[in-house]
Amino acid sequence: MTDFHPLRSANDRGSKNWEQLNKIAEKRAKEASPATMPSLDHATMSDYGQVYEPSDDTYLLIDGIQSDLTENQSIAKSARTILELGSGNGVPITFCSKLVPSALAIATDINPNALAFTKKTAMENNVTKLETIQCDLATPLLESCKQRIDIIIFNPPYVPTPDEEVSGNGIEVSWAGGERGRLVVDRAIPQIAHLLSENGVCYMITVDDNEPEEISKMFDALGIKMFPLVRRRAYNEYLSVQKLVRKKQTKP
Amino acid sequence: MRNNTKEADGKGFPLRITAVEVRVVDNPDATNVGQREIDFVKNMLPVLDWPALVQAASQLGIPTLPPQLTEQLAQDPAFLQALYHILMNVHLVKGMLTCPASGREFPVTDGIVNMMLEEEECERVRV
Ligand SMILES: C[S@@+](CC[C@H](N)C(=O)[O-])C[C@H]1O[C@@H](n2cnc3c(N)ncnc32)[C@H](O)[C@@H]1O
């Protein structure tokens, strides 16, 4: 996103096993056919002073979603609900809704301009089944949507910054992620675990500074398996789309 | 959507709607509702909270939904088409959602619900 920090050194990316998974994800990203961006013809340059402009993380996210939903047709066919936390420009949720036309989409963001823009992006691309809620993460949905969301998308503010920068509802909170870029992500972990349906999937962006292997352990403790789906270097950051699914109870 | 603060005590649902402006996108003209739309509604039926939907629709000026969702209705194409229209084409543009338990109000502007909580409310949110 921005060039605030140096690239992490290679020996700092987690366990052998995690590195192996990263390699597979890099390969998968290379082999995946690039996703076609939804139309953003409604956008003007001044919008991007208020709303996060699609960037390498956005592109990797839709590449990952396309590759995974193509491979797992059953998810795309059966999904009823899509939720994006921090929908920003609306590109990921619009893209995903196109692939899963039978689902109802819900977008949240704390930035009201982002939601107005998300609505326009959806409309521009003939996606009509969209609800928009200005709120923190998915807080108002926790009770009514418990284990009811089939596809969760999250591209959090992940750039390491001083914690104080994570405040307000303007463009800064698009990227400012606090210490290790984890301030917002860590709060989202229990919410995602709570909302994900039995056979649901979540696609979430991380950079290596977030120490994703540690995040995977936090999810593991909540009954959710997380692993890198696609991975790509963009300037000074290694971006990954992490895929999350509920661990199946193994029958004795 | 629900009000999850402690005042609401698990009863923050369904939110009461006060509509100021409702926009209805095209007519409930049966000809523009195809099989795909019907499939969508069928797919959604099991996750709809029917009484809440009936209440919401009537607060949006549509008092015609039956109080009970019967097996027979769930198979009726004409009913499913009408339901599709209510679900997808009736939008609350401006108004207020009110929590039935605490009275807390959430404004709707340009079709976007504002459910931001004040800091002291956040501490009482139940996960
Ligand atoms: C990196 S941008 C991603 C935008 C878009 N989804 C994409 O992939 O291009 C992060 C978004 O999350 C929003 N956001 C930040 N903190 C949030 C919070 N606590 N709750 C909801 N949204 C938040 C920001 O306003 C911003 O739109």
Side-chain angles (χ1 to χ4, degrees), chain A residues 43-57:
Chain A
T44 61
M45 267 334 272
S46 69
D47 284 328
Y48 295 133
Q50 300 175 321
V51 176
Y52 186 75
E53 183 172 357
S55 182
D56 292 306
D57 43 337

Side-chain angles (χ1 to χ4, degrees), chain A residues 80 102 129 134 139-140 143, chain B residues 2 4 40 43 88 113 115:
Chain A
R80 289 191 178 110
S102 61
K129 303 172 183 102
Q134 185 194 357
T139 305
E143 216 174 317
Chain B
R2 258 175 215 245
N4 278 344
F40 167 77
N43 193 29
M88 287 302 131
V113 194
M115 301 199 84

Side-chain angles (χ1 to χ4, degrees), chain A residues 15 88 164 177 183 224:
Chain A
S15 68
E164 308 82 75
L183 218 58
I224 289 183

